[in-house]
Amino acid sequence: MNYQKIYRKMRKRYILSALSIFILFTSKQAIIQLQISQMEKMSRAMNVAGSQRMLSQKISKDVLMLYQSDDKKAIESYLTELENSVEKWEMYQNNLLDGEKKRQLIGIHSAKIESMLMESGQFFDKILRASKDILYLFKSGEYDRYQLLEKILIIHNNEGEFLNRMNDIIYQYDEENRIKIKAIQQTEHFLFAIMIILIAFIAVFVFYPAEKTLKRAFMDMNESNENLIRLFRTMHGAIYLVNKETDVIFMSKDAEQFISMDTRDSAVNLKRHIKWLSINLEAVLEQIQKDEKIVEMEVEVQDRYENYSIVLLSVVKGEYRGIQTFLLNMFDITMQKKAEESMKNMAFTDELTGLYNRHFLDMIIHEEIERSERYNIPFSAFIVDLDNFKQINDKWGHPTGDSVLKKVADIISENIRMSDYLIRLGGEEFIVLMPHTNLHGASFAAEKVRNAIEIAEHPLVGTVTASFGAGERKKGETYRLLYDRIDYALYEAKESGRNCVREA
């Protein structure tokens, strides 16, 4: 038998197998990364839509305060705020429209969202024109209260419709993001299934034929131990040939990294000299003796340098020189596992604060609401929104603003229970979900957090404050309705002078 030819054939199969796994894994990561990137673009658009909603409410409030105020300084202040709000409002609306055009070019365009934006445009235009008219009238000084009232009525008559359209747009973005998350999970499961099938294929058509070829060679010839050892040591991957007592007969060069002893000192036994962290090797070999099947499983081991590794273990039953043997192959998949874990963390973690993000909220909230409804368990939540955060950014710069956000995130984390969920919704807004908690408990926790934020000192900014809206879920209430109630409670806290807790 031509051993050189057999060796080249086996080596080619190993290289092709490793290349196939590498290509599949790389493709899997690229596809999931693309889907996550698309989901992030939609999340940013959803944040802009949320800002539009808040700005429209602020514009409505500012024009009303202008109409009611007689103080010259107060009027000048309200005019400045109104002018800034109108400018941002118009810019964000353009960003939303431009963003939809860009998403259309890369294939993630939503016709439904585009239609909603077009519907909201007519109300947006009316409010915008009326707001700019009010600014012109005040700056020119040529107006009467009837003219102001007429413009204010236009704004108030169209604000409700605009808010409804924005709510629908945010909800649609949320729905489409949820679909994206589900698509990522399905894609991951599908590609993982393909990888398992590929590994099984490799085991059946690469490792098993290799074992059969070796067995046939052993039976046909009085093979040389030296030649066989050389063959094992040139094979890629950690490969062991062991007897029933798991004494190693031969092993490859790569296999030595998992042996916790000097292989030159004495005989090697896999049970004693490999630290198996997640399986009983003897039980696995007993299963092979009964079933005579290839066993493939993920196994946790420690190498001779005490490094933790995850390997894919394949075992084949055979014979060598008339004794029962087992051929074990350990394929290191530690880096793949770390990469998968890293991808999951990127999808569900806020980059700035390290807290959970909206994607995580979308993943768990419906299950929590369903559990609360099914078992009649109280479920509460409160929103935290930093007061005057824009002034911090304007005065100290965005890096300082980011450090304030991280400090506040740490303070909230330290003052809630481990069973609570702390999620950054975006900007300076956070939400705390509190399973098994009624309204009193949520308000108490919110007040505790509020006080902790108020007394904390930032090294540059000094003290900051936050406003809170807290509420308990009612029977049959969805998360969306609960959020709307506590969001309105937050608005009342802001209107009441900030730095307080209001219950929904």
Side-chain angles (χ1 to χ4, degrees), residues 467-482:
S467 300
F468 295 73
E472 179 181 356
R473 177 184 170 274
K474 298 177 180 179
K475 185 70 175 176
E477 188 175 41
T478 64
Y479 167 70
R480 176 53 54 189
L481 294 176
L482 171 62

Side-chain angles (χ1 to χ4, degrees), residues 395-413:
K395 182 176 181 180
W396 303 102
H398 287 278
T400 299
D402 289 346
S403 71
V404 170
L405 287 174
K406 288 189 280 189
K407 183 175 180 64
V408 170
D410 292 339
I411 292 172
I412 300 174
S413 298

Side-chain angles (χ1 to χ4, degrees), residues 33 59 74 80 102 108 113 121 140 164 191 199 253 264 267 269 304 320 337 358 410 442 452 455 461:
Q33 182 59 44
I59 289 171
T80 301
K102 292 177 181 177
I108 58 173
I113 291 177
S140 66
N164 290 336
L191 293 176
I199 292 171
K253 183 68 176 177
R264 297 171 295 181
N269 184 281
R304 65 192 305 173
Y320 169 69
K337 288 294 180 182
R358 279 185 179 272
D410 292 339
I455 65 176
V461 176

Side-chain angles (χ1 to χ4, degrees), residues 414-478:
E414 292 166 1
N415 286 276
I416 60 176
R417 304 171 304 182
M418 292 185 64
S419 59
D420 298 331
Y421 298 102
L422 173 56
I423 298 164
R424 185 186 179 200
L425 295 177
E428 66 271 27
E429 189 173 22
F430 306 83
I431 189 169
V432 177
L433 307 180
M434 306 184 72
H436 299 272
T437 306
N438 59 20
L439 177 59
H440 176 74
S443 296
F444 181 83
E447 179 60 31
K448 179 182 177 184
V449 172
R450 186 205 65 76
N451 184 64
I453 293 173
E454 183 182 20
I455 65 176
E457 284 278 347
H458 186 276
L460 188 60
V461 176
T463 59
V464 296
T465 62
S467 300
F468 295 73
E472 179 181 356
R473 177 184 170 274
K474 298 177 180 179
K475 185 70 175 176
E477 188 175 41
T478 64

Side-chain angles (χ1 to χ4, degrees), residues 384-398:
V384 185
D385 191 276
L386 297 186
D387 297 329
N388 302 313
F389 185 70
K390 180 182 179 300
Q391 296 178 10
I392 295 175
N393 278 336
D394 291 344
K395 182 176 181 180
W396 303 102
H398 287 278

Side-chain angles (χ1 to χ4, degrees), residues 130 134 148-159:
I134 290 174
L148 286 178
L149 183 60
E150 182 182 23
K151 301 300 180 181
I152 290 171
L153 287 175
I154 292 174
I155 292 173
H156 280 273
N157 289 340
N158 288 275
E159 180 195 8

Side-chain angles (χ1 to χ4, degrees), residues 275-329:
K275 295 182 181 179
W276 305 92
L277 303 179
S278 60
I279 64 165
N280 184 325
L281 181 62
E282 191 172 3
V284 172
L285 298 183
E286 287 179 1
Q287 181 183 345
I288 292 293
Q289 289 178 331
K290 294 177 183 178
D291 301 338
E292 295 190 0
K293 294 180 180 179
I294 296 172
V295 175
E296 295 180 343
M297 62 182 69
E298 288 185 11
V299 177
E300 299 173 7
V301 299
Q302 229 176 27
D303 65 18
R304 65 192 305 173
Y305 307 107
E306 297 189 353
N307 295 318
Y308 170 84
S309 299
I310 301 176
V311 299
L312 187 66
L313 175 66
S314 302
V315 185
V316 179
K317 178 182 174 183
E319 286 187 4
Y320 169 69
R321 290 187 173 182
I323 64 171
Q324 189 178 68
T325 58
F326 301 94
L327 183 67
L328 291 84
N329 176 265

